[in-house]
Amino acid sequence: MTETLTSLPAPAWFAHPGARTWTCPPAPSEVHGFHASLPGYAPTPLTELPSLAAELKVGRVFVKDESCRLGLPAFKALGASWAVHRTLAERADLAERSGLADRAGSQEAGGPVTLVTATDGNHGRAVARMARLLGQRAHVFVPEGVHPAATAAIAAEEARVTEVAGNYDEAVRQAADAVAATPAAVLIQDTAWPGYERIPGWIVEGYATLFAEIDTQLAAVAAGLPDLVAVPVGVGSLAQAAVTHYRSRPAGAAALLSVEPDSAAGVLASLTRQAPVTVTTGVTTMTGLNCGTPSTLAWPYLRDGLDAAIAVTDADSARAADDLAALGVPSGPCGAASLAGVRAALTGDGAAARRTALALGPDSTLVLLSTEGTAANPHHMANPS
């Protein structure tokens, strides 16, 4: 059981000097091939931005632009597609082995199932899209604070939408309860807790494709391995995938920086305490990151494999989104959080010590994950002051 905090412990920065010596097994090799087989698959752009390199006083800066991933405006389709594929394949295999596949029309034998999830926006839409494409049903629970346009986009995927009078954690609880009460329903949730980790693990595996693409794209421009990768963090599943990718290779690979809203920095608070905690979340334009409890599956990877964590304000994110747009990268507030976090880490008071903690110098290569486009989160239209 996690402790609940009502405020974020100061300071809003954490560093782990030994992270790059920690190792773990890689993601399954077949994930990238699965995604490459999907209609409409193409690697998302990795855009070099020399002006940001000059501003941050490093060698090269690249932004991984996830504003159009498999026809959706965020990276989440990678995890949702792999997890739904694995879930439905397993159900079909179980039905065949139990002799149910010959019983035409039975739910157990391959009739439509209901894919249930809770979401701050992008994951729910990705699950709903997969359900629609595969002839399944979807039921998506949406917490308070999600923009009505994001909720409408989920409904447009022919999903049933339940709006929850509560935060993300409450939406997850209600989604899990709905599965328990619904025949032929399965929870496709991108966070884990004791007893529910297999499907979240498949979602994390799905994100491996993003990092495989980065490797290929950097090699194509003779950039080598990155020295720093900045990752926006909600419950930590994408950060877990980053840790898995970079810590499954020889020690000394990329430094990994997690970035969260200062009003929902559950991972930073947990790292500071060195134990999982829940923070009481506030209102943020970074709605996809508005999560107060780290995934239990991700937590050991984040604890041992992240080099640093930082929290940023909505104003920081809004400025970063505007600057990325001016440079040709459409980024919503969550995606722009990576630039906001790198700016907070590498500039201002204490920057020299933070650069040292991240082992960065004037020739370093940075990769910033812009996890959503502007279409994913209409809150970018109203920048906070």
Side-chain angles (χ1 to χ4, degrees):
M1 185 172 181
T2 59
E3 178 185 4
T4 299
L5 302 178
T6 57
S7 61
L8 178 69
W13 162 262
F14 174 87
H16 175 203
R20 266 160 285 182
T21 65
W22 187 74
T23 60
C24 63
S29 59
E30 64 267 28
V31 175
H32 192 189
F34 163 77
H35 287 130
S37 73
L38 296 177
Y41 169 79
T44 55
L46 186 71
T47 304
E48 184 166 11
L49 299 176
S51 62
L52 289 184
E55 174 193 338
L56 297 168
K57 297 181 172 58
V58 295
R60 305 178 78 172
V61 172
F62 297 85
V63 177
K64 183 63 167 167
D65 176 3
E66 292 290 311
S67 61
C68 186
R69 171 64 78 176
L70 292 169
L72 294 175
F75 77 103
K76 291 286 190 175
L78 291 172
S81 61
W82 178 248
V84 170
H85 164 72
R86 290 295 306 269
T87 298
L88 296 181
E90 183 176 81
R91 288 176 67 90
D93 181 62
L94 287 172
E96 182 177 357
R97 287 192 283 114
S98 64
L100 293 171
D102 294 331
R103 290 167 52 186
S106 77
Q107 293 288 348
E108 297 88 350
V113 299
T114 301
L115 306 178
V116 181
T117 195
T119 187
D120 279 323
N122 295 324
H123 172 71
R125 186 177 178 188
V127 171
R129 171 69 63 87
M130 289 302 299
R132 180 171 64 81
L133 292 177
L134 296 173
Q136 310 298 322
R137 296 183 289 258
H139 185 183
V140 180
F141 289 75
V142 178
E144 291 177 336
V146 175
H147 196 282
T151 302
I154 297 170
E157 301 290 348
E158 302 176 8
R160 175 186 174 191
V161 175
T162 296
E163 297 188 44
V164 174
N167 63 12
Y168 174 80
D169 288 348
E170 175 61 18
V172 170
R173 186 190 67 77
Q174 291 193 24
D177 287 348
V179 168
T182 305
V186 61
L187 187 66
I188 308 291
Q189 196 59 60
D190 56 347
T191 189
W193 54 87
Y196 182 75
E197 295 185 330
R198 192 176 191 194
I199 289 174
W202 288 337
I203 289 173
V204 172
E205 289 177 358
Y207 299 151
T209 293
L210 186 155
F211 299 101
E213 291 176 359
I214 290 173
D215 286 349
T216 300
Q217 291 166 320
L218 289 176
V221 294
L225 294 175
D227 298 291
L228 174 71
V229 178
V231 188
V233 168
V235 299
S237 294
L238 180 61
Q240 179 187 348
V243 170
T244 299
H245 184 78
Y246 292 105
R247 299 297 176 247
S248 61
R249 54 186 62 200
L256 301 175
L257 172 69
S258 73
V259 186
E260 296 171 279
D262 60 357
S263 59
V267 168
L268 176 55
S270 298
L271 291 170
T272 302
R273 293 289 188 98
Q274 283 294 285
V277 299
T278 293
V279 298
T280 301
T281 57
V283 176
T284 174
T285 56
M286 293 173 272
T287 52
L289 309 181
N290 196 17
C291 309
T293 305
S295 166
T296 59
L297 189 66
W299 168 244
Y301 290 81
L302 309 184
R303 179 195 62 209
D304 296 332
L306 283 177
D307 292 83
I310 200 163
V312 298
T313 67
D314 282 2
D316 295 332
S317 174
R319 177 193 164 208
D322 288 343
D323 291 345
L324 287 171
L327 294 169
V329 178
S331 185
C334 298
S338 57
L339 173 56
V342 166
R343 280 174 163 164
L346 303 189
T347 64
D349 293 342
R354 292 190 292 270
R355 284 176 179 266
T356 298
L358 295 169
L360 297 181
D363 298 323
S364 295
T365 296
L366 278 56
V367 172
L368 316 180
L369 304 188
S370 178
T371 50
E372 67 176 10
T374 52
N377 184 355
H379 280 298
H380 80 281
M381 300 300 295
N383 292 345
S385 58

